[in-house]
Amino acid sequence: MSFNLSGFSTPSSSDSKNVKVLVLGSGPAGLAAALYAARAELSPVVLTGMELGGQAALTHTIENYPGFPEGVGGAQLGELFQKQAERFGAVVEFDTAQGVDLSQRPFKITTDNGLYLADTLIVATGARPNHLEIPGETEMTGKGVSYCATCDGWFFKDKKVVVVGGGDSALEEGLFLTRYASSVTIIHRRDTLRAGKVLQNRAFNDPKISFLWNTVVTAVDQGDKVTTLKLSNLQTGTASTFETDGLFIFIGHTPNTQLFTGQLTMDEGGYILANARMETNIPGVFVAGEVADNHFRQVITSAGMGAAAAIQATHFLEQEFAQP
Ligand code: NAP
């Protein structure tokens, strides 16, 4: 380890590890990529990032992943993915990338624990939940404001909760919260839902769920815990207050791509652009999962992208090896 002038430690090249395939992210995309790269005998290393198993691991039950007719817990599915990849030689490290230099190969990836020199890189860093960005939201996170029903639902036994959003996540998580909460009020900014019909029907038929349409939350009152929200009706402009014990926010996601700004080509939303072979603008760098997918966002599509990225990384290395 060496130290730069600002006092931050910078790994020296003697600390570096050479890998053929480095996978960033341990959600379905990253672990499926690791499985395929491991079976190609490329000894991939997976850096888990902050959330082992990615966002899927925070989902209570996944009912649409084939092979599990009764559904499967998100964390359990993540563990199975990991076990299967490790069985073929993948190494999963609890480490997070802090900087990447993709200007030449091997790519340099600086992490919390060292430096990796990677012949190929598979970016599967996923996405994070969007915030409403209203007064009190940040201050009251952990005191009643949450972005994860599976993590925090239990704290709201027999309490009143509000869910914001009109997509699949809002309804799925709202339905999950009915296990604990005495009532779930879904507040949506329009009067039609974006969520699929199956979830809509379940929510409309659930006696614990009610809807507030054309309404937004404008502030979370601050204190020891959440007690009241400020609301505004977008049609009438009427402001009101709403008593609740919890506020769950499910209004979409932002891709985790800050590390790659200026190096990998992205769309206006910050999603990494790739072709059908999961190739980015830099040869040897591939992507998979929600970091490059704002459309499907399913465990199975992310896993499929991970497999495709690893197959393509394998071809890339084989072609290089075949060159005289
Ligand atoms: P989404 O489909 O983008 O829905 C986000 C919701 O939040 C929309 O209803 C949107 O309103 C609302 N919203 C956005 N910004 C807002 C703001 N600032 N204030 C208030 N409301 C706001 O996101 P998602 O529900 O997370 O789903 C993302 C993807 O994952 C989708 O493709 C979905 O199908 C998929 N998904 C699937 C499942 C499943 O199949 N079981 C489960 C979860 C997610 P508008 O409708 O007015 O735009």
Side-chain angles (χ1 to χ4, degrees):
M1 212 51 106
S2 61
F3 287 87
N4 63 22
L5 289 176
S6 62
F8 291 110
S9 61
T10 322
S12 65
S13 56
S14 59
D15 296 325
S16 65
K17 293 176 200 151
N18 291 282
V19 291
K20 294 190 196 87
V21 179
L22 186 68
V23 180
L24 301 185
S26 58
L31 291 175
L35 170 65
Y36 272 70
R39 284 177 55 80
E41 302 199 325
L42 293 171
S43 309
V45 172
V46 179
L47 305 187
T48 58
M50 300 296 280
E51 283 165 11
L52 176 64
Q55 291 182 93
L58 300 176
T59 306
H60 184 261
T61 312
I62 295 171
E63 292 183 328
N64 52 9
Y65 192 78
F68 296 89
E70 306 303 325
V72 58
Q76 190 194 348
L77 186 62
E79 280 168 25
L80 292 170
F81 275 21
Q82 181 180 345
K83 235 187 223 171
Q84 195 173 354
E86 286 174 338
R87 184 178 148 219
F88 293 101
V91 173
V92 177
E93 298 279 5
F94 291 88
D95 199 358
T96 302
Q98 298 298 351
V100 295
D101 177 358
L102 307 179
S103 59
Q104 57 180 24
R105 294 181 58 236
F107 305 122
K108 292 191 185 69
I109 292 87
T110 313
T111 73
D112 287 345
N113 299 333
L115 173 70
Y116 284 88
L117 302 176
D119 291 335
T120 61
L121 183 68
I122 298 178
V123 178
T125 47
R128 62 185 182 281
N130 288 340
H131 292 197
L132 285 169
E133 291 173 15
I134 54 173
E137 181 181 10
T138 306
E139 294 81 352
M140 297 306 284
T141 296
K143 297 179 181 177
V145 173
S146 172
Y147 305 88
C148 176
T150 308
C151 319
D152 299 327
W154 187 87
F155 297 108
F156 294 89
K157 264 186 185 159
D158 303 321
K159 308 244 182 213
K160 288 171 62 174
V161 300
V162 160
V163 165
V164 177
D168 283 324
S169 298
L171 264 58
E172 198 167 74
E173 304 293 324
L175 282 158
F176 174 73
L177 285 167
T178 60
R179 289 164 185 249
Y180 307 103
S182 55
S183 71
V184 176
T185 306
I186 298 181
I187 297 183
H188 183 36
R189 64 184 178 182
R190 294 187 294 128
D191 62 0
T192 49
L193 295 168
R194 189 177 288 277
K197 285 285 173 222
V198 173
L199 284 171
Q200 288 200 28
N201 287 339
R202 274 197 216 164
F204 288 141
N205 289 319
D206 193 302
K208 281 192 180 175
I209 294 183
S210 57
F211 287 84
L212 271 183
W213 304 107
N214 302 307
T215 301
V216 290
V217 181
T218 55
V220 186
D221 286 343
Q222 295 184 44
D224 291 343
K225 54 188 178 125
V226 168
T227 53
T228 40
L229 308 175
K230 300 259 185 318
L231 307 184
S232 173
N233 183 301
L234 294 178
Q235 278 187 335
T236 62
T238 313
S240 59
T241 57
F242 191 89
E243 287 186 10
T244 184
D245 301 300
L247 172 64
F248 286 82
I249 300 163
F250 303 109
I251 58 163
H253 294 85
T254 300
N256 294 320
T257 52
Q258 318 82 293
L259 269 185
F260 311 100
T261 305
Q263 301 189 70
L264 295 179
T265 309
M266 301 173 193
D267 69 12
E268 64 285 353
Y271 288 86
I272 296 172
L273 292 175
N275 62 19
R277 296 179 173 185
M278 313 319 298
E279 294 164 330
T280 67
N281 58 305
I282 297 183
V285 180
F286 305 87
V287 282
E290 292 195 15
V291 73
D293 168 30
N294 188 24
H295 182 68
F296 295 115
R297 311 191 63 150
Q298 303 295 305
V299 175
I300 188 167
T301 48
S302 290
M305 290 166 86
I311 290 169
Q312 215 47 36
T314 307
H315 288 327
F316 179 86
L317 291 170
E318 278 168 359
Q319 274 165 14
E320 196 170 58
F321 189 66
Q323 273 168 18

